[in-house]
Amino acid sequence: QSVLTQPPSVSAAPGQKVTISCSGSSSNIGNNYVSWYQQLPGTAPKLLIYDNNKRPSGIPDRFSGSKSGTSATLGITGLQTGDEADYYCGTWDSSLSGVVFGGGTKLTVL
Amino acid sequence: QVQLVQSGAEVKKPGASVKVSCKASGYTFTSYGISWVRQAPGQGLEWMGWISAYNGNTNYAQKLQGRVTMTTDTSTSTAYMELRSLRSDDTAVYYCARDGAGDYMDVWGKGTTVTVSS
């Protein structure tokens, strides 16, 4: 059981928008920055969003992040078949004194 | 370009130890830390711990305390993760990732598969 809760799967059609939620508590999301990672099949994770809503260089603005209270959301617009992947949220947990991840969300672009 | 190159796959017997290496290039090694993250087959990401390449300070996941040791060799810009008393549920892909302060990981290695089997 992961400390952060994500939906196991989401799906949408090409060109549409999808959001992926990540729910936590005051010991993690509520008081720390959230990051998001994309893991394409058979590859290492890749940083998409850090510090709640910042994009590393090279990440298109189709990807966005937000945080409110103890929840965070990843948004992807203009969906492409190449966006099919597992997406993970992560943050620091002050009670555990370590990084925690969500269980991951599998995105299917129909 | 910034990259992390990990050592090759390992097969170990239960009770043995494994040491995975992660060689950094393209940036000043001592300006960042290294996090280690593992992923069991078909499962999600599990953070194992973090080491500062600047001063060697470490922070290990509570679950692995006593079984894991992370070190760095600044002369070769290489980080190491040793896991002892291996069990079958340690079978996973082990990733190293550049991590400034132990909060987010911006560059990842390709992963090292560790299989624990009798």
Side-chain angles (χ1 to χ4, degrees):
Chain A
Q1 197 77 354
S2 300
V3 173
L4 305 180
T5 301
Q6 297 180 234
S9 64
V10 296
S11 62
Q16 296 300 303
K17 173 182 177 177
V18 72
T19 59
I20 298 173
S21 61
C22 176
S23 177
S25 68
S26 58
S27 68
N28 42 67
I29 291 178
N31 285 286
N32 295 289
Y33 287 118
V34 177
S35 53
W36 288 90
Y37 303 88
Q38 176 193 60
Q39 187 175 33
L40 297 169
T43 70
K46 174 184 176 181
L47 179 66
L48 282 181
I49 298 289
Y50 67 99
D51 289 357
N52 300 334
N53 55 17
K54 297 183 173 67
R55 283 177 287 106
S57 172
I59 301 299
D61 58 7
R62 299 189 299 109
F63 295 91
S64 63
S66 64
K67 187 183 100 167
S68 178
T70 59
S71 293
T73 301
L74 173 70
I76 311 173
T77 60
L79 277 171
Q80 302 171 2
T81 55
D83 295 332
E84 287 201 334
D86 293 322
Y87 293 83
Y88 294 90
C89 57
T91 187
W92 181 260
D93 190 294
S94 305
S95 295
L96 298 173
S97 294
V99 172
V100 291
F101 291 105
T105 299
K106 182 175 183 61
L107 169 64
T108 301
V109 181
L110 302 166
Chain B
Q1 74 282 24
V2 177
Q3 62 176 348
L4 300 173
V5 178
Q6 299 186 223
S7 49
E10 303 263 12
V11 179
K12 296 292 183 181
K13 293 194 182 304
S17 299
V18 68
K19 191 169 186 177
V20 179
S21 68
C22 170
K23 183 172 176 58
S25 62
Y27 71 97
T28 301
F29 183 64
T30 51
S31 294
Y32 294 82
I34 294 286
S35 271
W36 290 88
V37 175
R38 69 179 180 178
Q39 185 171 36
Q43 302 300 308
L45 304 176
E46 179 186 12
W47 180 79
M48 300 179 67
W50 173 87
I51 181 167
S52 165
Y54 173 70
N55 58 17
N57 286 351
T58 55
N59 180 25
Y60 300 139
Q62 294 175 1
K63 172 183 177 181
L64 296 172
Q65 287 272 3
R67 283 210 300 141
V68 67
T69 301
M70 297 176 188
T71 57
T72 59
D73 181 345
T74 57
S75 69
T76 60
S77 298
T78 303
Y80 299 91
M81 185 284 300
E82 181 181 34
L83 188 61
R84 300 176 293 279
S85 302
L86 289 168
R87 309 186 290 247
S88 58
D89 63 356
D90 291 318
T91 293
V93 177
Y94 288 74
Y95 295 102
C96 63
R98 190 176 76 167
D99 186 340
D103 49 4
Y104 68 86
M105 300 137 213
D106 66 344
V107 179
W108 292 66
K110 291 186 185 302
T112 296
T113 299
V114 175
T115 303
V116 183
S117 173
S118 55

